Amino acid sequence: MSDQIQFIVEKLNQEPFRKNYNLITFDSLESMQLLQLLNDVLGEIDPKHAVDIREELPEQTAKRMLGLLGILKYKPPGSISDLSAFRQGLVTGSKPVIHPVLHWLLQRTNELKKRAYLARFLVKLEVPAEFLQDDTVADINKQYEELMEAFKNLHKECEQLKTSGLSTAEIRRDISAMEEEKDQLIKRVERLKKRVETVQNHQRMLEIARQLRLEKEREESLAQQKQEQKNQLFHAEQRLQRAQLQLKEMHHAVVDSKPESLMKKLEEEINFNSYLVTEKIPRELESKKNSAYFLQKVVAEPAMSQSDLNVLEIKINEVNAQMNQLIEKRMMKYEPIDSKFSMYRQQASIISRKKEAKAEELQAAKEEMSSTERQMLQKTSQAQELEGSEVLKGDEFKHYVNKLRSKNTFYKKKRLEIAEITAEYGILQRTEELLKQRHEAIQQQLQTIEDKKGISGYSYTQEELERVSAVKSEMDEMKGRTLDNMSEMVKKLNTMVAEKKASLAPVIKELRQLRQKCQELTQECDEKKIQYDSCAAGLESNRSTLEQEVKGLLEECVQEEGNYRYINCMKRNLEIQLQRAKEEMKAYVSPDPQERRKAIREQYTRMILEQENLGKKLREKQKVVRESHGPNMKQIKMWQDFEQLMECKRECFLKQQNQAAIGQVIQEGGKDRLVL
């Protein structure tokens, strides 16, 4: 316990609390101060709880703290029966209750902060079933659950990104590499600009090239939009086909069904449901009630030993024997009359049992059919999401399998070709390595010959000259081609511009007329917009009033729900206290002495007697101590005086010995002088 308190004091003296406690000041805190300290720790975990407990009622404080501790999954020490004591101790600020809570909270503050943050979004608001019958409330509740699932997924992704740990060094290296590439690209662009500046009308050509690039990008974006629209059209056609198939199936079902068959099915369902409601379910409910009644009786009975069980078994056997005897007597007495009905009774019981079994089988089959239908719908939706088309059936599936087989053979054939190509590629790599080795050997021989002749580096310089000349010729050819291409491009662009102008002339005329119409329509649109704004303002004012009413009703609903929960909790507490009082009364009234000893009253009476006996013994001991106090003090005083006397004698003896030793030394010195 001291280690626990020391740990709490150390944590409270650190950031962010800075309480400057020691063990004595912390232990001397009152109940209200302890509760405020616990509230401060909870407020650090969840900022909503950073309040002054003096400004709210004790019941509200306890309810709020218990709610947060439940969210944080704090388990009080002890059994379930100690929960009421824990709640009472939390309300009163008891040290044995609050110290373990503080120790548990301060051990895992960061983890609990995260849990409290997640609980703000993941603690589900329970909506009563009668409210969910409203479509609007059900839709909002569904959206609420979907948003909760989306928050879970996003939080998991965020945690994974945090733990993945992209190091800053790697990011800096990437940034530096990208900056180097950027510098290289800028230099390359500048070199190209210098080369192009020598060409006539280079600005106009660059502008034309830029326009061409923009048009190409626009063409690519239009092609992409066209492809997306094609895909959307394809998916829409598939949805249309599926809807048409479903419509055909529904038509077939309606055509095949007749009023007589539908009435027959409805009568069968009504008979089955009426059997369930009138016979099966009431019987099962009665049996459940009986079993619950017997279980309650068993729970209410006191604990039984093995001897009690043996006695009950003997009684049960005796009662069974008496029942068998009575049944035999009854059969002997009424056998001629009952013999006619026994067979019918047996048949009726057999038929009723068969009927119950068939009803259960039918119920199980219906549940299984509904579950398989749900699974089928889920599988079809998953298949449609994955493949984008409906599930194949019959001949279509066979055709699809044949197509897959043909693709499989084609895949195997191509795989063999790839294997042959890879083998040939390995052979070519090996030949290339051998040729490189031979080339290196020949180069070394050539270099040694050049060294001997005194013309080292001749072959290298010759190769460089040939390479430079080849590059120069290629650059000249490329320049010529680029100039030709640019001139052709300029001609094409000029012709295209002229064609566009000619084609756009009638369009421009139409555009002028359309502009006039557009002006007229804009005027009309402004007038309509003014009307719309006035109507929207009126509707907005009505909507704001309705929203205020809804907000007030929602707040009232929340308040009533809180009152309901608080009353329910108080009711549970009172029931638990009443149950404990009943158990105490039962144990106190019980004739069994062992059971009576378990009663709290008996325990307290025993403790009171033990304390009274202990008090008597202590009073007697106190009396003996008082009587012997005076003589004992005198004896202590005499021993102290005797000790002082002996100490004085010891000091005198030591002084006398020191004086004798000094005189002897003086005498020996005088004798030595006389001898000299």
Side-chain angles (χ1 to χ4, degrees):
M1 193 69 183
S2 61
D3 296 336
Q4 190 183 71
I5 295 172
Q6 189 173 1
F7 175 77
I8 294 169
V9 171
E10 289 176 358
K11 286 291 184 181
L12 291 174
N13 291 334
Q14 295 174 4
E15 291 289 341
F17 302 105
R18 289 187 178 183
K19 295 294 183 181
N20 295 326
Y21 286 146
N22 54 28
L23 295 174
I24 297 170
T25 55
F26 179 75
D27 191 56
S28 62
L29 291 175
E30 296 180 356
S31 60
M32 288 297 292
Q33 294 174 341
L34 265 178
L35 276 175
Q36 185 62 49
L37 184 61
L38 177 60
N39 191 76
D40 293 340
V41 176
L42 293 175
E44 181 63 27
I45 292 170
D46 190 355
K48 291 193 297 183
H49 293 264
V51 296
D52 191 353
I53 61 172
R54 291 174 295 181
E55 297 177 358
E56 59 182 1
L57 296 174
E59 293 83 4
Q60 294 177 354
T61 305
K63 182 180 177 182
R64 179 170 53 79
M65 289 183 178
L66 286 170
L68 182 57
L69 290 174
I71 290 170
L72 300 178
K73 296 182 180 179
Y74 174 71
K75 295 181 179 178
S79 60
I80 299 172
S81 60
D82 298 334
L83 289 176
S84 60
F86 172 75
R87 293 191 188 96
Q88 190 67 27
L90 190 63
V91 172
T92 58
S94 177
K95 291 182 181 179
V97 173
I98 292 180
H99 285 176
V101 177
L102 284 172
H103 184 261
W104 185 79
L105 292 173
L106 294 171
Q107 272 183 332
R108 45 183 72 83
T109 308
N110 295 325
E111 178 186 351
L112 296 176
K113 281 182 181 179
K114 182 178 177 182
R115 189 175 293 172
Y117 168 74
L118 292 175
R120 194 187 310 166
F121 305 102
L122 298 181
V123 173
K124 189 175 179 182
L125 181 64
E126 295 295 335
V127 182
E130 57 268 16
F131 293 145
L132 288 174
Q133 292 178 0
D134 190 0
D135 295 336
T136 307
V137 177
D139 293 337
I140 293 170
N141 189 31
K142 188 177 180 181
Q143 292 177 5
Y144 169 65
E145 292 176 353
E146 290 175 355
L147 289 172
M148 191 179 289
E149 292 295 328
F151 175 76
K152 286 181 183 177
N153 297 326
L154 289 173
H155 182 71
K156 287 179 182 177
E157 291 177 2
C158 180
E159 291 296 325
Q160 289 175 0
L161 289 173
K162 285 181 181 178
T163 54
S164 62
L166 290 172
S167 63
T168 55
E170 292 179 358
I171 295 169
R172 286 174 181 171
R173 283 198 297 271
D174 293 338
I175 291 169
S176 61
M178 291 168 72
E179 288 178 351
E180 290 176 359
E181 289 179 0
K182 182 181 176 183
D183 295 335
Q184 291 176 2
L185 290 171
I186 290 168
K187 291 177 182 177
R188 191 178 296 174
V189 169
E190 289 177 355
R191 286 198 298 270
L192 290 172
K193 281 182 179 179
K194 288 178 181 178
R195 287 182 185 177
V196 174
E197 283 175 357
T198 57
V199 182
Q200 293 180 356
N201 297 327
H202 65 278
Q203 291 291 340
R204 188 163 177 270
M205 291 180 180
L206 287 172
E207 186 65 28
I208 292 166
R210 189 179 295 110
Q211 290 178 3
L212 180 63
R213 179 175 56 79
L214 292 172
E215 291 296 329
K216 284 185 177 179
E217 290 178 354
R218 186 182 173 191
E219 184 181 1
E220 289 177 357
S221 65
L222 289 171
Q224 188 175 1
Q225 290 178 5
K226 184 179 178 182
Q227 187 64 33
E228 289 177 356
Q229 288 177 359
K230 282 183 178 179
N231 292 330
Q232 290 176 2
L233 180 62
F234 177 71
H235 291 304
E237 288 176 353
Q238 286 183 345
R239 287 197 295 271
L240 179 62
Q241 289 176 1
R242 287 197 294 271
Q244 287 176 354
L245 287 173
Q246 290 178 359
L247 184 61
K248 286 181 182 179
E249 290 177 357
M250 293 295 291
H251 279 307
H252 285 305
V254 171
V255 169
D256 293 337
S257 61
K258 295 180 181 179
E260 292 81 5
S261 60
L262 291 174
M263 289 295 292
K264 191 174 181 181
K265 287 180 181 178
L266 288 172
E267 286 178 357
E268 289 177 355
E269 289 181 359
I270 290 166
N271 292 328
F272 176 69
N273 292 327
S274 61
Y275 168 71
L276 289 177
V277 171
T278 56
E279 296 182 13
K280 190 172 184 295
I281 294 173
R283 197 181 302 123
E284 290 180 355
L285 183 63
E286 190 66 28
S287 64
K288 295 290 183 184
K289 285 182 179 179
N290 292 330
S291 60
Y293 173 71
F294 288 124
L295 289 173
Q296 287 177 356
K297 284 184 70 177
V298 170
V299 169
E301 291 292 330
M304 301 177 71
S305 61
Q306 188 63 35
S307 60
D308 297 332
L309 291 174
N310 294 328
V311 171
L312 287 174
E313 285 180 356
I314 293 166
K315 288 182 179 179
I316 288 167
N317 293 326
E318 291 177 354
V319 171
N320 286 328
Q322 291 177 3
M323 286 172 63
N324 291 328
Q325 290 176 3
L326 291 172
I327 289 166
E328 289 177 357
K329 288 180 180 178
R330 184 175 175 279
M331 289 175 68
M332 291 173 65
K333 187 175 181 181
Y334 298 102
E335 186 174 4
I337 299 171
D338 285 346
S339 61
K340 297 178 182 179
F341 301 103
S342 61
M343 181 175 65
Y344 298 107
R345 287 174 181 169
Q346 290 176 359
Q347 289 179 357
S349 63
I350 291 167
I351 289 167
S352 64
R353 284 196 295 270
K354 285 184 179 180
K355 190 176 180 182
E356 290 177 359
K358 292 297 180 183
E360 290 177 356
E361 289 177 2
L362 181 60
Q363 188 70 21
K366 283 188 175 181
E367 291 175 357
E368 187 177 358
M369 185 176 71
S370 62
S371 64
T372 50
E373 285 178 354
R374 286 195 298 272
Q375 290 177 2
M376 185 182 72
L377 291 173
Q378 289 176 0
K379 297 294 183 184
T380 51
S381 62
Q382 289 176 3
Q384 288 173 6
E385 289 175 359
L386 292 172
E387 298 293 334
S389 61
E390 61 182 354
V391 180
L392 300 176
K393 297 179 182 178
D395 297 333
E396 294 179 356
F397 183 72
K398 290 180 182 178
H399 180 67
Y400 180 68
V401 170
N402 293 326
K403 190 177 179 181
L404 284 178
R405 286 175 182 170
S406 62
K407 285 185 178 180
N408 192 11
T409 55
F410 182 72
Y411 166 72
K412 289 180 180 178
K413 186 178 178 181
K414 293 296 180 184
R415 192 173 179 182
L416 289 172
E417 290 179 2
I418 290 168
E420 292 175 358
I421 291 166
T422 51
E424 188 176 356
Y425 174 70
I427 294 166
L428 291 173
Q429 271 189 336
R430 180 60 181 163
T431 54
E432 185 184 1
E433 289 176 359
L434 293 172
L435 291 172
K436 282 182 180 179
Q437 290 175 2
R438 287 182 185 178
H439 178 68
E440 289 176 357
I442 291 167
Q443 287 290 333
Q444 288 177 0
Q445 290 177 3
L446 182 61
Q447 191 174 0
T448 53
I449 291 166
E450 287 176 354
D451 292 336
K452 287 179 182 179
K453 299 293 183 180
I455 53 171
S456 61
Y458 174 75
S459 60
Y460 177 72
T461 53
Q462 187 178 2
E463 288 177 358
E464 285 292 323
L465 287 171
E466 290 176 356
R467 189 177 62 80
V468 170
S469 62
V471 170
K472 186 176 180 298
S473 63
E474 287 178 359
M475 290 294 291
D476 293 336
E477 290 177 359
M478 190 183 293
K479 285 180 181 179
R481 285 197 300 272
T482 52
L483 289 172
D484 294 336
N485 291 329
M486 289 176 76
S487 61
E488 289 177 0
M489 190 186 297
V490 169
K491 290 178 182 178
K492 288 180 181 179
L493 289 171
N494 288 327
T495 54
M496 287 172 67
V497 168
E499 290 174 357
K500 291 288 182 183
K501 282 182 180 179
S503 63
L504 288 172
V507 176
I508 291 168
K509 291 180 181 179
E510 293 178 0
L511 182 63
R512 288 173 184 170
Q513 297 175 359
L514 292 172
R515 280 179 181 171
Q516 292 177 358
K517 289 183 181 179
C518 180
Q519 289 177 359
E520 294 174 358
L521 291 172
T522 50
Q523 291 177 0
E524 188 178 356
C525 179
D526 293 335
E527 294 174 358
K528 297 292 183 182
K529 190 175 182 182
I530 291 166
Q531 294 177 3
Y532 169 76
D533 290 336
S534 62
C535 182
L539 293 173
E540 185 68 24
S541 62
N542 293 330
R543 187 177 68 84
S544 62
T545 54
L546 290 172
E547 283 181 353
Q548 289 177 359
E549 289 179 2
V550 170
K551 189 175 180 181
L553 291 171
L554 287 173
E555 290 177 355
E556 187 178 355
C557 178
V558 171
Q559 187 176 3
E560 293 297 330
E561 186 179 356
N563 293 330
Y564 166 72
R565 290 182 178 174
Y566 174 69
I567 291 167
N568 198 5
C569 291
M570 294 297 292
K571 180 185 174 185
R572 289 179 184 172
N573 291 333
L574 292 172
E575 287 176 354
I576 292 168
Q577 292 177 3
L578 183 62
Q579 184 66 26
R580 291 180 64 186
K582 286 180 180 179
E583 291 176 356
E584 177 67 20
M585 193 67 190
K586 185 177 179 181
Y588 181 71
V589 177
S590 177
D592 190 3
Q594 294 292 332
E595 190 70 24
R596 195 183 299 165
R597 285 176 65 86
K598 294 179 182 178
I600 297 172
R601 183 172 178 179
E602 293 292 331
Q603 292 177 6
Y604 278 123
T605 52
R606 286 199 301 273
M607 290 171 66
I608 290 166
L609 290 173
E610 290 175 358
Q611 293 297 323
E612 287 178 353
N613 294 328
L614 183 61
K616 287 179 181 179
K617 291 179 181 179
L618 290 173
R619 283 194 291 273
E620 291 175 358
K621 189 174 181 181
Q622 184 182 11
K623 186 177 179 182
V624 172
V625 169
R626 283 178 180 174
E627 290 175 355
S628 61
H629 180 68
N632 288 336
M633 292 300 293
K634 288 180 182 179
Q635 188 72 24
I636 291 169
K637 185 69 172 61
M638 290 169 68
W639 274 107
Q640 288 176 354
D641 295 339
F642 178 71
E643 186 178 358
Q644 289 179 0
L645 181 62
M646 294 302 293
E647 185 67 27
C648 184
K649 285 184 178 182
R650 187 176 71 82
E651 289 177 357
C652 292
F653 178 72
L654 291 173
K655 286 180 181 179
Q656 188 176 2
Q657 279 187 349
N658 289 330
Q659 289 176 1
I662 292 166
Q664 187 177 359
V665 171
I666 292 168
Q667 288 177 4
E668 288 178 356
K671 288 178 182 180
D672 292 336
R673 287 175 186 162
L674 290 172
V675 172
L676 292 171

